[in-house]
Amino acid sequence: MKSLFSRRAPVLVLCALAAWVASAAAADSDGDGLPDALEHRLGTDPQRAEAAREVWSAPAAATAPAGAAVGRDLRRVTLAHVAADRWLWILEFADDYETANSNLLLYIDANNNPQRGQRHPELQGTDFVLWFSDGGRWCHAYTATGEGSRPAPTRFGVDGRRVYLCTDMTLAQVDGASQARAWARSEQLEPRQEVASTGWFAVTAPAQDQSRKPEVNPFGGTAQANDEDGDGL
C-alpha cells in the first residue's frame, strides 16, 4: 500500500531542517541515552532520565534486509511519559537510521477507538500521523469523523539508530493507565519500497498527570527563542 503522503508535498519546503542530528560526543547529564542538547530540543528534561517501556519489537525470526535498507529496518518501539500529555516515542532501527530517501510514519489512535478518526479501511481510527520524510517532518491530525484537524505539537530528532518523536498528545485514560493503538511504517522513498511495518499494536503506558512540561528550546541549549506552535523550530 502506498503511503498517504508524497515526498514532494509542499510542507517539506518548510520542514527540511527540522530533525536534530546528535553529535557523537554530546553530553548526557542524566545518562538516559539522550544527549542534553537533543533533550532541550525535544522538550524532555535533561536532568531526569526518561523511563521508556517497550511497546513493540520485531519478531525474533525476522531478518534484517541487506545494504542500505538495514538503516530503515525497524526493530523496536518504546514509549516514555515525559509530563502531563507529553510523550516520547523512540523508534530503534537495525543500524544508524538512513535519513536520506526514507519515509517514516507513525499512526496513532490516541483515543483508542477504531471507530473515530481516519476512515481509510486499513488505517481506520488514526487520530494522528507523525511523518518524518527525507529529513522533513509533519504531524497530521483527524477529527472524530475523519476530517483534517489541528496537529499535535511534535519535535523530531535522530541519534544513531534511534529516531525520537516527542509529541504533546492526550491519550485515552483507562483504569489508571494511558491506552492507545499505534502502527509504524518504514519505507524507502525512491524507488518506493516498504522495509518494515508493525501493523496495529496495543499501547499501555503510565497515566497522564498534571506535572509541568519542560520548556522546548529549538537551539538545544540555554538560549531562548519564540516557538509559538511548539514544534521545536
Tab-separated table of all heavy atoms in Angstrom, residues 108-136:
chain	number	residue	atom	x	y	z
A	108	ILE	N	-1.188	6.940	15.046
A	108	ILE	CA	-1.573	6.804	16.448
A	108	ILE	C	-3.089	6.962	16.593
A	108	ILE	O	-3.669	7.965	16.162
A	108	ILE	CB	-0.859	7.854	17.324
A	108	ILE	CG1	0.663	7.710	17.191
A	108	ILE	CG2	-1.268	7.695	18.787
A	108	ILE	CD1	1.444	8.803	17.900
A	109	ASP	N	-3.707	5.957	17.178
A	109	ASP	CA	-5.111	6.034	17.577
A	109	ASP	C	-5.100	6.467	19.038
A	109	ASP	O	-5.106	5.653	19.955
A	109	ASP	CB	-5.773	4.668	17.402
A	109	ASP	CG	-7.220	4.648	17.874
A	109	ASP	OD1	-7.743	5.727	18.225
A	109	ASP	OD2	-7.818	3.550	17.902
A	110	ALA	N	-5.064	7.781	19.257
A	110	ALA	CA	-4.828	8.322	20.597
A	110	ALA	C	-5.994	8.068	21.548
A	110	ALA	O	-5.786	7.909	22.757
A	110	ALA	CB	-4.552	9.823	20.510
A	111	ASN	N	-7.214	8.028	21.022
A	111	ASN	CA	-8.357	7.794	21.909
A	111	ASN	C	-8.728	6.318	21.998
A	111	ASN	O	-9.733	5.963	22.616
A	111	ASN	CB	-9.573	8.632	21.485
A	111	ASN	CG	-9.992	8.368	20.047
A	111	ASN	OD1	-9.788	7.281	19.520
A	111	ASN	ND2	-10.572	9.365	19.414
A	112	ASN	N	-7.896	5.467	21.371
A	112	ASN	CA	-8.063	4.013	21.456
A	112	ASN	C	-9.452	3.580	20.999
A	112	ASN	O	-10.071	2.691	21.583
A	112	ASN	CB	-7.797	3.525	22.892
A	112	ASN	CG	-7.410	2.058	22.941
A	112	ASN	OD1	-6.783	1.542	22.022
A	112	ASN	ND2	-7.781	1.379	24.009
A	113	ASN	N	-9.920	4.227	19.925
A	113	ASN	CA	-11.252	3.945	19.410
A	113	ASN	C	-11.188	3.848	17.889
A	113	ASN	O	-11.129	4.873	17.200
A	113	ASN	CB	-12.229	5.044	19.825
A	113	ASN	CG	-13.662	4.730	19.422
A	113	ASN	OD1	-13.920	3.859	18.592
A	113	ASN	ND2	-14.603	5.444	20.007
A	114	PRO	N	-11.193	2.633	17.332
A	114	PRO	CA	-11.085	2.470	15.875
A	114	PRO	C	-12.242	3.064	15.092
A	114	PRO	O	-12.153	3.203	13.865
A	114	PRO	CB	-11.042	0.944	15.702
A	114	PRO	CG	-10.636	0.405	17.033
A	114	PRO	CD	-11.208	1.348	18.040
A	115	GLN	N	-13.328	3.435	15.759
A	115	GLN	CA	-14.499	3.972	15.066
A	115	GLN	C	-14.421	5.485	14.879
A	115	GLN	O	-15.293	6.077	14.244
A	115	GLN	CB	-15.765	3.621	15.845
A	115	GLN	CG	-15.951	2.132	16.084
A	115	GLN	CD	-15.834	1.311	14.818
A	115	GLN	OE1	-16.437	1.656	13.794
A	115	GLN	NE2	-15.072	0.244	14.859
A	116	ARG	N	-13.394	6.124	15.419
A	116	ARG	CA	-13.243	7.573	15.306
A	116	ARG	C	-11.909	7.888	14.635
A	116	ARG	O	-10.919	7.194	14.842
A	116	ARG	CB	-13.286	8.235	16.686
A	116	ARG	CG	-14.601	8.032	17.418
A	116	ARG	CD	-14.496	8.407	18.885
A	116	ARG	NE	-14.162	9.823	19.066
A	116	ARG	CZ	-15.060	10.786	19.186
A	116	ARG	NH1	-16.344	10.508	19.139
A	116	ARG	NH2	-14.699	12.049	19.355
A	117	GLY	N	-11.881	8.942	13.810
A	117	GLY	CA	-10.630	9.337	13.159
A	117	GLY	C	-10.588	8.959	11.695
A	117	GLY	O	-11.620	8.911	11.011
A	118	GLN	N	-9.397	8.705	11.188
A	118	GLN	CA	-9.170	8.384	9.777
A	118	GLN	C	-10.081	7.258	9.312
A	118	GLN	O	-10.278	6.267	10.009
A	118	GLN	CB	-7.697	7.982	9.605
A	118	GLN	CG	-7.337	7.254	8.324
A	118	GLN	CD	-7.453	8.123	7.110
A	118	GLN	OE1	-8.530	8.235	6.550
A	118	GLN	NE2	-6.366	8.727	6.697
A	119	ARG	N	-10.653	7.441	8.084
A	119	ARG	CA	-11.614	6.467	7.561
A	119	ARG	C	-11.003	5.481	6.575
A	119	ARG	O	-11.716	4.623	6.046
A	119	ARG	CB	-12.777	7.205	6.895
A	119	ARG	CG	-13.615	8.039	7.852
A	119	ARG	CD	-14.082	7.251	9.038
A	119	ARG	NE	-15.041	7.979	9.849
A	119	ARG	CZ	-15.388	7.635	11.081
A	119	ARG	NH1	-14.825	6.571	11.636
A	119	ARG	NH2	-16.266	8.341	11.765
A	120	HIS	N	-9.711	5.606	6.287
A	120	HIS	CA	-9.075	4.655	5.376
A	120	HIS	C	-9.264	3.239	5.939
A	120	HIS	O	-9.048	3.010	7.126
A	120	HIS	CB	-7.586	4.986	5.244
A	120	HIS	CG	-6.885	4.182	4.205
A	120	HIS	ND1	-6.515	2.876	4.414
A	120	HIS	CD2	-6.474	4.500	2.950
A	120	HIS	CE1	-5.898	2.419	3.333
A	120	HIS	NE2	-5.875	3.382	2.432
A	121	PRO	N	-9.692	2.279	5.106
A	121	PRO	CA	-10.011	0.940	5.629
A	121	PRO	C	-8.893	0.315	6.467
A	121	PRO	O	-9.160	-0.281	7.508
A	121	PRO	CB	-10.277	0.125	4.363
A	121	PRO	CG	-10.718	1.130	3.358
A	121	PRO	CD	-9.940	2.378	3.659
A	122	GLU	N	-7.653	0.451	6.014
A	122	GLU	CA	-6.538	-0.175	6.730
A	122	GLU	C	-6.127	0.625	7.957
A	122	GLU	O	-5.647	0.064	8.946
A	122	GLU	CB	-5.341	-0.334	5.796
A	122	GLU	CG	-4.220	-1.166	6.366
A	122	GLU	CD	-3.089	-1.378	5.375
A	122	GLU	OE1	-2.980	-0.595	4.407
A	122	GLU	OE2	-2.322	-2.339	5.560
A	123	LEU	N	-6.308	1.934	7.899
A	123	LEU	CA	-5.813	2.809	8.957
A	123	LEU	C	-6.939	3.434	9.769
A	123	LEU	O	-6.729	4.420	10.459
A	123	LEU	CB	-4.944	3.913	8.340
A	123	LEU	CG	-3.746	3.425	7.540
A	123	LEU	CD1	-3.075	4.580	6.819
A	123	LEU	CD2	-2.744	2.707	8.441
A	124	GLN	N	-8.119	2.843	9.703
A	124	GLN	CA	-9.276	3.419	10.378
A	124	GLN	C	-9.002	3.570	11.874
A	124	GLN	O	-8.499	2.664	12.529
A	124	GLN	CB	-10.509	2.544	10.165
A	124	GLN	CG	-11.772	3.154	10.738
A	124	GLN	CD	-13.018	2.444	10.258
A	124	GLN	OE1	-12.993	1.743	9.258
A	124	GLN	NE2	-14.123	2.628	10.967
A	125	GLY	N	-9.369	4.733	12.392
A	125	GLY	CA	-9.153	5.022	13.804
A	125	GLY	C	-7.957	5.909	14.058
A	125	GLY	O	-7.784	6.411	15.167
A	126	THR	N	-7.130	6.154	13.040
A	126	THR	CA	-5.956	7.003	13.217
A	126	THR	C	-6.383	8.429	13.573
A	126	THR	O	-7.160	9.054	12.861
A	126	THR	CB	-5.107	7.042	11.935
A	126	THR	OG1	-4.653	5.716	11.630
A	126	THR	CG2	-3.912	7.964	12.095
A	127	ASP	N	-5.854	8.936	14.688
A	127	ASP	CA	-6.113	10.317	15.089
A	127	ASP	C	-4.967	11.243	14.695
A	127	ASP	O	-5.187	12.423	14.433
A	127	ASP	CB	-6.324	10.397	16.604
A	127	ASP	CG	-7.519	9.586	17.058
A	127	ASP	OD1	-8.613	9.784	16.493
A	127	ASP	OD2	-7.369	8.746	17.964
A	128	PHE	N	-3.742	10.699	14.677
A	128	PHE	CA	-2.563	11.488	14.334
A	128	PHE	C	-1.607	10.644	13.497
A	128	PHE	O	-1.487	9.438	13.716
A	128	PHE	CB	-1.810	11.967	15.588
A	128	PHE	CG	-2.618	12.847	16.498
A	128	PHE	CD1	-3.296	12.312	17.584
A	128	PHE	CD2	-2.714	14.215	16.260
A	128	PHE	CE1	-4.044	13.125	18.418
A	128	PHE	CE2	-3.456	15.038	17.090
A	128	PHE	CZ	-4.132	14.489	18.176
A	129	VAL	N	-0.940	11.289	12.547
A	129	VAL	CA	0.150	10.661	11.810
A	129	VAL	C	1.395	11.509	12.015
A	129	VAL	O	1.415	12.692	11.652
A	129	VAL	CB	-0.148	10.552	10.292
A	129	VAL	CG1	0.993	9.801	9.606
A	129	VAL	CG2	-1.472	9.852	10.038
A	130	LEU	N	2.424	10.929	12.624
A	130	LEU	CA	3.717	11.595	12.750
A	130	LEU	C	4.554	11.137	11.567
A	130	LEU	O	4.787	9.945	11.384
A	130	LEU	CB	4.392	11.222	14.076
A	130	LEU	CG	3.543	11.437	15.335
A	130	LEU	CD1	4.375	11.152	16.578
A	130	LEU	CD2	2.957	12.838	15.373
A	131	TRP	N	5.025	12.093	10.780
A	131	TRP	CA	5.609	11.815	9.471
A	131	TRP	C	7.003	12.419	9.394
A	131	TRP	O	7.186	13.608	9.604
A	131	TRP	CB	4.678	12.403	8.409
A	131	TRP	CG	5.198	12.467	7.027
A	131	TRP	CD1	5.844	11.490	6.332
A	131	TRP	CD2	5.084	13.583	6.134
A	131	TRP	NE1	6.137	11.921	5.070
A	131	TRP	CE2	5.686	13.205	4.923
A	131	TRP	CE3	4.524	14.849	6.254
A	131	TRP	CZ2	5.750	14.067	3.836
A	131	TRP	CZ3	4.591	15.697	5.170
A	131	TRP	CH2	5.185	15.303	3.982
A	132	PHE	N	7.994	11.597	9.127
A	132	PHE	CA	9.388	12.028	9.012
A	132	PHE	C	9.894	11.526	7.667
A	132	PHE	O	10.140	10.339	7.489
A	132	PHE	CB	10.202	11.443	10.171
A	132	PHE	CG	11.625	11.932	10.253
A	132	PHE	CD1	11.916	13.283	10.182
A	132	PHE	CD2	12.668	11.045	10.430
A	132	PHE	CE1	13.222	13.739	10.277
A	132	PHE	CE2	13.975	11.491	10.526
A	132	PHE	CZ	14.249	12.833	10.454
A	133	SER	N	10.020	12.444	6.690
A	133	SER	CA	10.262	12.028	5.318
A	133	SER	C	11.435	12.774	4.709
A	133	SER	O	11.387	13.998	4.541
A	133	SER	CB	9.001	12.273	4.475
A	133	SER	OG	9.173	11.814	3.153
A	134	ASP	N	12.515	12.041	4.416
A	134	ASP	CA	13.681	12.605	3.738
A	134	ASP	C	14.214	13.839	4.474
A	134	ASP	O	14.685	14.789	3.866
A	134	ASP	CB	13.323	12.954	2.298
A	134	ASP	CG	14.563	12.984	1.382
A	134	ASP	OD1	15.591	12.380	1.751
A	134	ASP	OD2	14.499	13.614	0.317
A	135	GLY	N	14.138	13.826	5.800
A	135	GLY	CA	14.629	14.938	6.609
A	135	GLY	C	13.572	15.954	6.973
A	135	GLY	O	13.756	16.744	7.893
A	136	GLY	N	12.433	15.978	6.258
A	136	GLY	CA	11.336	16.866	6.612
A	136	GLY	C	10.420	16.171	7.601
A	136	GLY	O	10.498	14.963	7.805
